[in-house]
Amino acid sequence: MKKALIAAIVLGTLASPAFANLQMAQKYGCTACHDVGTKKIGPAFKDIAKKYAGDKSAETKLTAKVKKGGSGVWGTMPMPPQAQVNDADLKTLVKWVLATK
């Protein structure tokens, strides 16, 4: 019983950050245009992660792009500025997107 409880706690702790960040993406409306695995209006989060893999400046670039908006990287549909997202949550979201597989 004790081992099962410890395993449940460990697994819950490991799974929570990914789930919490998906919840954060939903909270801020990111999932209206983006999905984890498939293209919607905007690119899939996993495609963004793949595009920026190995780019040491990706977090800074994407944080600015999400905050200010942008266009041209993924097609003609512009991404509107997301200035309502506070900086701490924005950093968490960008890190999560870049880690999406």
Side-chain angles (χ1 to χ4, degrees), residues 3-36:
K3 287 182 183 180
L5 179 60
I6 291 171
I9 291 170
V10 170
L11 288 174
T13 302
L14 293 175
S16 293
F19 183 69
N21 293 325
L22 177 58
Q23 282 185 324
M24 190 181 294
Q26 291 167 334
K27 170 186 169 184
Y28 286 113
C30 305
T31 54
C33 296
H34 300 277
D35 187 61
V36 173

Side-chain angles (χ1 to χ4, degrees), residues 55-69:
D55 182 345
K56 294 186 188 299
S57 64
E59 186 178 327
T60 302
K61 286 181 201 174
L62 291 178
T63 299
K65 183 170 289 262
V66 172
K67 195 74 158 179
K68 296 175 186 173

Side-chain angles (χ1 to χ4, degrees), residues 47-92:
D47 292 337
I48 296 168
K50 185 177 178 182
K51 181 178 186 82
Y52 290 96
D55 182 345
K56 294 186 188 299
S57 64
E59 186 178 327
T60 302
K61 286 181 201 174
L62 291 178
T63 299
K65 183 170 289 262
V66 172
K67 195 74 158 179
K68 296 175 186 173
S71 64
V73 176
W74 297 94
T76 58
M77 179 63 74
M79 179 173 158
Q82 303 300 311
Q84 80 281 6
V85 181
N86 70 58
D87 291 342
D89 285 354
L90 181 56
K91 186 173 184 173
T92 299

